[in-house]
């Protein structure tokens, strides 16, 4: 049996990985996190009592992080789906319903992004059920609404998505006696605004999307580089829709610059979609300059490696 300190020691490493996610290249961090989860699975069989609960909680968070990297950073949805199943098992060992809710809501992204709306909705129903057992903070409940909005947007239902976002905004204006857990680091009112801007874009409400995304970009903390690439990509898409290729290319260039510092596959997908939309202006100088940057050695190799 492991000593009573094993749960706290393992958690310390998990917390470090949580912080490293925002700056370390995903291809470098993912193997380390994965090995950490393998160690946790072995140690779980050698612990009891409080140490086992702490270890299982940290293991569930580590598996959730591994799944997030696989889905959002490396674009490996099948691997992420399997990882989320293991994460939910660990959350069950820890009897932590909020972690279970977070894992289930993340798992809803996988069918949501490929237009399997019913499957995504079922996972979100399960996430809300677990969140009620938490109990969950207002921010946590608003985030589940935001996940629903993104899934609905990708499934071609922007009106339903905007209703979910409006509900999330209402939740954030109410006071809650419950606090978010320390590991809940991926959501804020600014990120909700980014969700909303993307939905307005898909709904064809370009003026509102431009205002919402611009405000979100201005309010975004300097250290949130991954989210910055997504917002810049959506701003570029808005300008493409408004037939402003120069402005679209400027936002896309800024996103590529950020991707050179903090790689994010989801952000790169946004830029590729923008470039497809810019094809009518393919001979324009701004688009050729964007191509030069989009297909330079570093960016091309980064895309292939990840």
């Amino acid at each position: 049996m492991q000593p009573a300190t094993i749960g706290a020691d393992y958690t310390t490493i998990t917390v470090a990985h949580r912080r490293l996610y925002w700056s370390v290249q995903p291809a470098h961090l993912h193997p380390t996190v994965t090995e950490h989860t393998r160690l946790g699975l072995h140690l779980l069989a050698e612990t009891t009592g409080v140490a086992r609960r702490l270890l299982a909680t940290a293991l569930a968070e580590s598996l959730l992080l591994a799944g997030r990297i696989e889905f959002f950073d490396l674009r490996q949805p099948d691997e992420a789906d399997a990882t989320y199943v293991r994460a939910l098992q660990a959350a069950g060992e820890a009897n932590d319903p909020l972690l279970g809710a977070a894992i289930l809501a993340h798992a809803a992204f996988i069918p949501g992004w490929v237009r399997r709306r019913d499957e995504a909705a079922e996972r979100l129903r399960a996430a809300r059920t677990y969140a009620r057992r938490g109990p969950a903070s207002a921010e946590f409940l608003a985030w589940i609404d935001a996940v629903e909005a993104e899934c609905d947007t990708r499934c071609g239902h922007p009106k339903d998505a905007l209703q979910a976002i409006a509900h999330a905004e209402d939740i954030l204006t109410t006071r809650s006696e419950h606090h978010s857990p320390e590991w809940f680091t991926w959501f804020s009112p600014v990120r909700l605004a980014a969700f909303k801007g993307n939905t307005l874009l898909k709904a064809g409400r370009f003026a509102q999307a431009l205002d919402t995304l611009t405000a979100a970009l201005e309010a975004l903390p300097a250290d949130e580089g991954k989210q910055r690439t997504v917002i810049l990509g959506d701003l570029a898409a808005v300008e493409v829709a408004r037939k402003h290729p120069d402005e679209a290319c400027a936002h896309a260039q800024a996103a590529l610059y950020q991707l050179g510092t903090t790689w994010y596959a989801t952000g790169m997908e946004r830029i590729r979609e923008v470039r497809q939309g810019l094809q009518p202006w393919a001979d324009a100088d701004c688009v050729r300059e964007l191509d030069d940057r989009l297909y330079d050695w570093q960016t091309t190799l980064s895309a292939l490696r990840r």
Side-chain angles (χ1 to χ4, degrees):
M1 300 299 294
Q2 295 294 330
T5 58
I6 193 67
D9 293 340
Y10 187 88
T11 300
T12 298
I13 301 172
T14 297
V15 171
H17 289 164
R18 181 198 306 164
R19 293 194 297 265
L20 289 171
Y21 172 73
W22 301 108
S23 60
V24 175
Q25 294 289 351
H28 298 160
L29 182 60
H30 183 256
T32 300
V33 174
T34 300
E35 286 302 320
H36 185 57
T37 64
R38 289 173 181 162
L39 174 62
L41 286 169
H42 287 299
L43 294 176
L44 201 61
E46 302 171 1
T47 57
T48 58
V50 174
R52 180 181 177 84
R53 181 179 59 80
L54 289 174
L55 180 63
T57 300
L59 174 59
E61 182 186 343
S62 291
L63 285 163
L64 174 57
L65 176 59
R68 283 169 52 81
I69 295 172
E70 287 161 356
F71 184 73
F72 293 108
D73 297 271
L74 303 179
R75 300 307 296 128
Q76 299 171 351
D78 292 340
E79 289 80 354
D81 212 20
T83 300
Y84 289 147
V85 171
R86 295 193 294 273
L88 193 62
Q89 290 172 329
E93 289 283 348
N95 194 25
D96 191 323
L98 278 185
L99 258 177
I103 294 161
L104 285 162
H106 274 93
F109 279 120
I110 297 174
W113 281 38
V114 291
R115 295 176 174 265
R116 300 202 306 266
R117 193 186 186 200
D118 290 343
E119 186 178 345
E122 183 177 3
R123 294 183 178 191
L124 285 168
R125 282 195 297 271
R128 288 191 170 96
T129 301
Y130 278 78
R132 285 197 299 270
R133 300 169 186 164
S137 66
E139 292 80 5
F140 194 96
L141 295 174
W143 168 67
I144 296 179
D145 283 339
V147 176
E148 180 181 358
E150 178 149 357
C151 291
D152 280 347
T153 299
R154 288 182 172 269
C155 291
H157 296 270
K159 184 178 294 186
D160 292 338
L162 288 172
Q163 290 178 351
I165 290 172
H167 187 257
E169 292 173 333
D170 290 341
I171 290 175
L172 289 177
T173 61
T174 62
R175 294 185 178 182
S176 173
E177 59 182 323
H178 308 299
H179 298 285
S180 298
E182 292 183 0
W183 44 259
F184 185 67
T185 59
W186 55 77
F187 183 74
S188 66
V190 174
R191 287 174 174 256
L192 178 60
F195 275 108
K196 184 176 183 178
N198 178 260
T199 300
L200 289 167
L201 165 63
K202 297 297 175 59
R205 295 159 64 170
F206 304 127
Q208 290 177 275
L210 180 62
D211 291 342
T212 302
L213 291 167
T214 300
L217 185 65
E218 292 174 352
L220 192 70
D223 60 350
E224 294 200 22
K226 294 184 177 183
Q227 186 64 34
R228 187 175 304 278
T229 63
V230 172
I231 296 175
L232 286 167
D234 284 343
L235 279 168
V238 170
E239 297 297 0
V240 170
R242 299 172 73 214
K243 302 187 186 305
H244 296 164
D246 289 330
E247 290 84 347
C249 288
H251 289 307
Q253 288 275 17
L256 288 173
Y257 178 81
Q258 182 65 57
L259 286 167
T261 303
T262 310
W263 178 261
Y264 194 41
T266 302
M268 178 55 81
E269 285 182 354
R270 294 285 213 276
I271 303 308
R272 290 199 177 105
E273 291 172 1
V274 166
R275 178 57 188 87
Q276 290 176 3
L278 286 168
Q279 192 57 30
W281 301 277
D283 293 332
D285 290 341
C286 64
V287 178
R288 289 186 172 182
E289 290 172 3
L290 177 62
D291 284 346
D292 286 339
R293 182 64 183 272
L294 183 59
Y295 302 111
D296 67 9
W297 287 106
Q298 180 181 353
T299 306
T300 303
L301 285 171
S302 294
L304 290 174
R305 286 171 177 167
R306 297 170 177 84

